[in-house]
Amino acid sequence: MRNVAIIGIGQVPVREHWDKSLKELGALALLEALDDAGRDSIDGLFVGNMLSGSLSEQEHLGALIADFAGLGGVEAVKVEAACASGAAAFRQAVLAVASGQKECVAALGVEKLTEFSGQKTSDALAEAADADFETSLGLTFVALNALVMRRFIYERKVEREAFAYFPMLAHANAKHNPNAMFRHDIQFEQYQKAKMIADPINLLDSSPIADGAAAVIVVPADKVKPSDNKIVQVLACEIATDAVALHDRAELLRLRAVEQSVQRALQTAGVTRSQINLFELHDAFSIMSLLSLEASGFMAAEEALRKIREGYFDVRGTLPLFTMGGLKGRGHPVGATGIYQITEAVMQLRGAAPAAVQVPDARIAMTQNIGGTGATVVTTILKGNQ
Amino acid sequence: MRNVAIIGIGQVPVREHWDKSLKELGALALLEALDDAGRDSIDGLFVGNMLSGSLSEQEHLGALIADFAGLGGVEAVKVEAACASGAAAFRQAVLAVASGQKECVAALGVEKLTEFSGQKTSDALAEAADADFETSLGLTFVALNALVMRRFIYERKVEREAFAYFPMLAHANAKHNPNAMFRHDIQFEQYQKAKMIADPINLLDSSPIADGAAAVIVVPADKVKPSDNKIVQVLACEIATDAVALHDRAELLRLRAVEQSVQRALQTAGVTRSQINLFELHDAFSIMSLLSLEASGFMAAEEALRKIREGYFDVRGTLPLFTMGGLKGRGHPVGATGIYQITEAVMQLRGAAPAAVQVPDARIAMTQNIGGTGATVVTTILKGNQ
């Protein structure tokens, strides 16, 4: 099996893009990534997307975007794993190159969510959950996460307001990211007063839906100059799954798929947690950040609630989190999010992040993209050449 | 890169399965394939499906079916490429094993289409076409194929009734397949009198929507006994794409993605067309069979119209087609179809097809799964051990 390297990245700003179709957004990110890579063709395209069918009445995105981007003829498919679709597409791109079948492959994440009614989008997002046993009962996707947060507050005996520091940090970082949706700070008092969406999740616990597209270009690692500062090595990319329905999980607060994918990724990469210089985790809701940190083996969730107030997760702290704003601050175009995370990690490892959020001496980054309430988890470990 | 072998197959009968959900259908096929393979676990699952989101309001099929089948924790994603989703999932399974990342992987195709209104299903199927430039004009998926057939009749100066022999042969073979939807002959007179669906496509030119699921298990070829008659080698599996919208094609009657995927597949497999003992092609509409035979390089479409009447494509002819009924006779559960084709080819290569449709001395089989009106094409070449 060959090692794989990332040689190009591209992204469109995360926004409400009412004037651009799915294929336009996808092609823009893809062409920017090709330009960054200094290539004009690829031999494979994997498109991560969750809801093009349910919302835009458009499937077949692989061929559609390949053709629209002028890459007609190329092998192209769509990969779906709910909110983890982006990183799942990246995983297939890595496999295609690692297998020796392909020499230059693009992983593209693209999603359009904002031009539909709130009800329609909310219903569509619930397709990440179990239709027979969860959404058929009227549970929205936010409500499912609210059940988990409620249980956490009860079992771990913490105050709801302790969660405030996660979205506050996300916004503090997003402020410096020109591609982020929300470029302003939020204060503790705003969190206290924020509207309740699905008790105990309030507006600021919840990442915003958004439109966006991001792409990365991968090639065999032995085909690039190892001295090139732009090159980022893919040390590992591992997927694990768990029951989709919350009631089928062994423990409500335990993300087993996170545990498994992180263990496999660390083993494959041959690195330890202490070597991770930044962690782009999946803060779709504040509670998910906490459970992810715990299941990833970094620390107990209660400890994370304390450490965030001590600057531990700041860009100049011990384990910087969501350095470009994360899902909360950058925005969460679901099927594109996993690729935004990887794109942002690559910027950090190149030393090319906006100065205010550049992690000093970033050499190894972990990204984690979560589908549903924890049923699909993709953990990726990247290493820079700096 | 490692060679890959198929060691197990499973399928549920193609029917209207109103009493079974997507995950039940998927799990049934998957467990039968595991049983056939003599395995009780896998380390990867690729689910081919097109419309679970738009119709059943359920995405995230990878994790969902993995868990329901008792394979929780395993890497699992959904792969979508319109009507070619099944074979596209197979392609990812082959890559995962070929890369050395996985040792035993399942490719599952599953689709539920029949429990919704005809209008809803018809609209959903049109998501295989270009939403911005085709379906927005009111073109259904059948209508798009009708445009192609109309053009064919005009350019090639043939009679519409000459197409009749394709569905007649499909039904003649389906009759012997217990998993087929339509197990009865049709006569030329029936074709003449069949209701027009979208002129010039009549009811018998058009494959039926259906519910179904089929699965195959793949492993590294060097991990199985080469003498085992059940083993089938994957000589090649190649995807190519073309413009989704018909008006963006260079020539309306030329399936360039078929040409490319067949050329690559023959080259990778190291076989010539004359060595192919049977061809499971994508007869979604009669016209597609003709264009596929032509673009695959077997013969001009007009010649195929003559040769079918001479028995050339019969199971005991020179190039047997759709030996278990094809999309027309077996039924077309879109995202599952590509895996049904592979499953049926494996049965032929094992010498385990129903006696009446067993191709004598079948050693090499080609399957071809087409998405949209030709925008995604997956051509697979398999070799038996007999």
Side-chain angles (χ1 to χ4, degrees):
Chain A
M1 210 172 66
R2 304 193 290 188
N3 290 324
V4 176
I6 297 173
I7 61 165
I9 55 173
Q11 54 178 308
V12 300
V14 177
R15 298 285 185 269
E16 297 195 12
H17 287 289
W18 292 30
D19 59 339
K20 292 189 182 65
S21 72
L22 273 164
K23 59 176 178 266
E24 287 175 286
L25 289 173
L28 283 170
L30 188 51
L31 295 175
E32 184 178 307
L34 277 167
D35 189 50
D36 184 50
R39 304 274 179 133
D40 55 13
S41 69
I42 50 175
D43 57 6
L45 170 65
F46 294 90
V47 180
N49 169 273
M50 180 183 170
L51 293 171
S52 70
S54 297
L55 291 176
S56 305
E57 296 170 17
Q58 179 70 72
E59 289 291 358
H60 214 170
L61 289 189
L64 192 78
I65 294 175
D67 179 56
F68 193 71
L71 305 164
V74 72
E75 170 164 2
V77 296
K78 165 173 159 173
V79 178
E80 189 277 329
C83 330
S85 299
F90 178 73
R91 161 76 172 156
Q92 303 318 312
V94 170
L95 280 180
V97 171
S99 71
Q101 282 258 353
K102 298 286 172 182
E103 296 300 318
C104 183
V105 173
L108 167 71
V110 59
E111 200 82 65
K112 263 185 88 65
L113 299 173
T114 69
E115 69 188 27
F116 312 96
S117 72
Q119 182 66 54
K120 186 171 178 178
T121 309
S122 176
D123 286 351
L125 289 168
E127 293 176 14
D130 188 316
D132 295 344
F133 295 110
E134 293 185 320
T135 42
S136 62
L137 304 175
L139 280 160
T140 64
F141 193 60
V142 186
L144 286 162
N145 282 275
L147 292 176
V148 179
M149 184 168 164
R150 171 67 68 204
R151 184 73 196 173
F152 181 86
I153 289 171
Y154 171 77
E155 274 191 31
R156 306 292 177 94
K157 300 178 178 55
V158 299
E159 296 296 318
R160 202 183 62 75
E161 292 180 351
F163 289 78
Y165 301 91
F166 280 83
M168 284 163 66
L169 177 57
H171 275 244
N173 290 342
K175 199 171 55 180
H176 305 285
N177 175 6
N179 290 315
M181 193 146 170
F182 294 142
R183 302 187 62 196
H184 58 81
D185 280 316
I186 52 175
Q187 310 300 329
F188 184 74
E189 293 69 30
Q190 286 174 281
Y191 182 89
Q192 285 179 304
K193 292 178 192 164
K195 269 193 198 168
M196 202 54 79
I197 305 298
D199 194 2
I201 290 181
N202 73 23
L203 186 66
L204 297 179
D205 283 312
S206 181
S207 60
I209 61 161
D211 308 327
V216 297
I217 310 291
V218 296
V219 299
D222 58 8
K223 297 285 170 65
V224 292
K225 279 190 216 141
S227 60
D228 187 340
N229 276 350
K230 279 180 69 178
I231 305 300
V232 165
Q233 310 286 330
V234 181
L235 297 185
C237 179
E238 295 287 341
I239 305 187
T241 60
D242 196 353
V244 169
L246 281 178
H247 58 256
D248 285 333
R249 306 270 173 83
E251 297 172 48
L252 198 55
L253 301 183
R254 187 177 162 195
L255 299 179
R256 286 189 306 177
V258 167
E259 293 174 6
Q260 284 187 33
S261 77
V262 169
Q263 278 161 18
R264 286 185 212 159
L266 289 171
Q267 192 174 5
T268 304
V271 303
T272 61
R273 288 179 184 81
S274 61
Q275 290 176 277
I276 307 288
N277 300 124
L278 65 128
F279 184 20
E280 295 297 335
L281 53 65
H282 191 92
D283 57 324
F285 300 96
S286 309
I287 179 67
M288 288 305 282
S289 298
L290 287 166
L291 297 185
S292 161
L293 281 167
E294 181 168 290
S296 298
F298 288 106
M299 67 192 68
E302 299 92 317
E303 195 181 339
L305 286 173
R306 282 195 304 275
K307 287 209 160 151
I308 194 165
R309 300 178 66 172
E310 299 161 7
Y312 191 90
F313 301 125
D314 293 359
V315 287
R316 282 170 187 80
T318 308
L319 182 66
L321 299 184
F322 31 72
T323 62
M324 308 261 184
L327 282 63
K328 176 67 194 83
R330 175 232 302 125
H332 183 27
V334 293
T337 292
I339 306 286
Y340 274 101
Q341 292 176 314
I342 291 168
T343 299
E344 291 160 358
V346 168
M347 289 172 74
Q348 289 286 1
L349 296 173
R350 285 178 176 181
V357 289
Q358 175 66 53
V359 174
D361 304 320
R363 292 210 66 224
I364 297 181
M366 180 184 277
T367 69
Q368 189 172 88
N369 196 195
I370 301 182
T373 50
T376 300
V377 179
V378 190
T379 303
T380 302
I381 301 179
L382 305 172
K383 179 166 168 285
N385 266 339
Q386 289 199 93
Chain B
M1 209 172 68
R2 306 193 289 188
N3 289 324
V4 176
I6 297 174
I7 60 164
I9 55 173
Q11 54 179 308
V12 300
V14 177
R15 298 284 186 269
E16 297 195 10
H17 287 288
W18 291 30
D19 59 339
K20 292 190 182 65
S21 72
L22 273 164
K23 60 176 178 261
E24 287 175 285
L25 289 173
L28 283 170
L30 188 51
L31 295 175
E32 184 177 308
L34 278 167
D35 189 51
D36 184 50
R39 304 275 179 132
D40 55 13
S41 69
I42 50 176
D43 56 7
L45 169 65
F46 294 89
V47 180
N49 169 273
M50 179 183 170
L51 293 171
S52 69
S54 297
L55 291 176
S56 304
E57 297 170 16
Q58 178 71 71
E59 289 291 358
H60 214 170
L61 289 189
L64 191 78
I65 294 174
D67 178 57
F68 193 71
L71 304 165
V74 73
E75 170 164 3
V77 296
K78 165 173 160 174
V79 178
E80 189 276 331
C83 329
S85 299
F90 178 73
R91 162 75 172 156
Q92 304 317 314
V94 170
L95 280 180
V97 172
S99 71
Q101 282 258 354
K102 299 287 173 182
E103 296 301 318
C104 183
V105 173
L108 166 71
V110 59
E111 200 82 65
K112 264 186 86 68
L113 299 173
T114 71
E115 70 188 25
F116 312 96
S117 72
Q119 182 66 53
K120 186 171 178 180
T121 308
S122 176
D123 286 351
L125 289 168
E127 294 176 13
D130 189 314
D132 295 343
F133 296 110
E134 293 185 320
T135 42
S136 61
L137 305 175
L139 280 159
T140 64
F141 193 60
V142 186
L144 286 162
N145 283 275
L147 292 176
V148 179
M149 183 167 165
R150 172 66 71 202
R151 184 74 195 172
F152 180 87
I153 289 171
Y154 171 77
E155 274 191 30
R156 307 291 177 94
K157 300 178 179 57
V158 299
E159 296 296 317
R160 201 183 63 75
E161 291 181 351
F163 289 78
Y165 301 92
F166 280 83
M168 283 163 65
L169 176 57
H171 275 245
N173 291 341
K175 198 172 54 180
H176 305 286
N177 175 6
N179 291 314
M181 192 144 169
F182 294 141
R183 301 187 63 196
H184 57 82
D185 280 316
I186 52 175
Q187 309 300 329
F188 184 73
E189 294 68 32
Q190 286 175 281
Y191 182 89
Q192 286 179 303
K193 292 178 192 163
K195 268 193 200 167
M196 203 54 79
I197 304 298
D199 193 0
I201 290 181
N202 73 22
L203 185 65
L204 296 178
D205 283 313
S206 181
S207 60
I209 61 160
D211 307 328
V216 297
I217 310 291
V218 295
V219 299
D222 59 8
K223 298 284 170 65
V224 293
K225 279 192 216 139
S227 60
D228 187 339
N229 277 349
K230 280 181 68 178
I231 305 300
V232 166
Q233 310 286 330
V234 181
L235 298 185
C237 180
E238 295 288 341
I239 304 187
T241 59
D242 197 353
V244 169
L246 282 178
H247 58 257
D248 286 333
R249 306 270 174 83
E251 298 172 46
L252 198 55
L253 300 183
R254 187 176 162 196
L255 299 178
R256 285 190 305 179
V258 168
E259 292 173 6
Q260 283 187 32
S261 76
V262 169
Q263 278 161 17
R264 285 185 213 159
L266 288 172
Q267 192 174 6
T268 305
V271 302
T272 60
R273 289 178 184 82
S274 62
Q275 290 177 278
I276 307 289
N277 300 125
L278 64 128
F279 184 20
E280 295 297 335
L281 53 65
H282 191 92
D283 57 325
F285 300 96
S286 309
I287 179 66
M288 288 305 280
S289 298
L290 287 166
L291 297 185
S292 160
L293 281 166
E294 181 168 291
S296 297
F298 287 106
M299 67 193 67
E302 299 91 316
E303 196 181 338
L305 286 173
R306 282 194 304 275
K307 286 206 162 155
I308 194 165
R309 300 178 65 172
E310 299 161 5
Y312 191 90
F313 301 125
D314 293 359
V315 287
R316 281 171 189 80
T318 308
L319 182 65
L321 299 183
F322 32 72
T323 62
M324 307 261 185
L327 283 63
K328 176 66 195 82
R330 175 233 302 128
H332 183 25
V334 295
T337 291
I339 306 286
Y340 274 102
Q341 292 176 313
I342 292 167
T343 300
E344 290 159 359
V346 168
M347 290 172 73
Q348 289 284 2
L349 296 173
R350 285 178 175 179
V357 289
Q358 175 67 53
V359 174
D361 305 319
R363 292 212 63 224
I364 297 181
M366 180 184 278
T367 68
Q368 189 173 86
N369 196 194
I370 300 183
T373 50
T376 301
V377 179
V378 191
T379 303
T380 302
I381 301 179
L382 305 172
K383 180 167 168 285
N385 267 339
Q386 289 199 91

